[in-house]
Amino acid sequence: MTDYSDSFINDDLYRQIIIDHYNRPHNHCRLPHASHSLEGENASCGDHIELDLLIENGIIKDVGFGGEGCSIFTASASILTDMIKGKTVSEAAELAKAFKARLSAHTNPKIAQTAEDIDLGELEALDGVRDYPVRIKCALLSWETLLQTIGPEPEEAEDESEI
Ligand code: ZN
């Protein structure tokens, strides 16, 4: 299965990470025992996610996702599940905010600086989307859905009206 949308990722290692996650997304299954579930949609690309979390005592014990989308969306959601499992809700929120900040570095350098000391791991493979606003939405859909699930902040609630 090919997908044109990763063609602008010009780093071979990063492209391989994205392709691997796209071909075999991690935790791509619904959780029957989820404590939190939320759907998210990126209409500009057609990406769709159903994010399931099992949260106990403030810790994300399990995570899974359903839905489909482009390679950028799928890789980002797959990496999300790897990274947040076992984290506290607030750690996961910090990670989501740091990733959002990194992708908005061009337009909002001040915000980006605040997130520099958080390790984004494989998410760095998605750096190439920063120049493509439509693709930024693909990369952020799962993370926006996560933030809405575990407790949106006022400024994130406002973002919804743009979509
Ligand atoms: Zn997409």
Side-chain angles (χ1 to χ4, degrees):
M1 202 161 167
T2 56
D3 183 336
Y4 68 92
S5 65
D6 57 45
S7 57
F8 56 82
I9 305 286
N10 52 22
D11 180 291
D12 283 343
L13 172 65
Y14 284 176
R15 190 186 301 123
Q16 195 57 50
I17 290 172
I18 292 167
I19 291 170
D20 286 349
H21 278 283
Y22 180 55
N23 287 336
R24 301 189 60 170
H26 302 177
N27 304 297
H28 192 232
C29 56
R30 303 300 305 273
L31 297 185
H33 53 296
S35 60
H36 296 65
S37 293
L38 196 69
E39 289 187 48
E41 193 93 41
N42 173 19
S44 54
C45 178
D47 306 316
H48 178 83
I49 187 170
E50 294 141 349
L51 183 67
D52 290 334
L53 302 172
L54 174 63
I55 300 175
E56 286 176 353
N57 302 319
I59 295 171
I60 299 170
K61 293 277 176 100
D62 206 356
V63 52
F65 75 103
E68 288 189 354
C70 66
S71 61
I72 298 299
F73 156 75
T74 307
S76 185
S78 176
I79 295 168
L80 175 149
T81 64
D82 282 346
M83 291 187 78
I84 70 167
K85 202 185 278 191
K87 282 194 161 52
T88 67
V89 168
S90 57
E91 284 169 344
E94 285 303 309
L95 191 59
K97 288 172 193 169
F99 183 45
K100 284 177 70 174
R102 188 178 178 99
L103 291 191
S104 67
H106 282 9
T107 50
N108 213 334
K110 268 188 190 165
I111 292 179
Q113 275 177 4
T114 64
E116 264 175 8
D117 50 345
I118 293 184
D119 180 11
L120 290 172
E122 286 189 317
L123 287 175
E124 292 183 11
L126 296 164
D127 273 355
V129 308
R130 279 190 288 204
D131 294 326
Y132 303 83
V134 172
R135 294 295 166 199
I136 291 176
K137 288 187 181 177
C138 300
L140 287 182
L141 175 61
S142 54
W143 295 90
E144 298 277 14
T145 305
L146 172 70
L147 281 172
Q148 287 172 25
T149 308
I150 60 182
E153 291 187 347
E155 70 245 33
E156 264 124 30
E158 282 174 18
D159 285 345
E160 278 189 328
S161 56
E162 288 176 26
I163 298 169

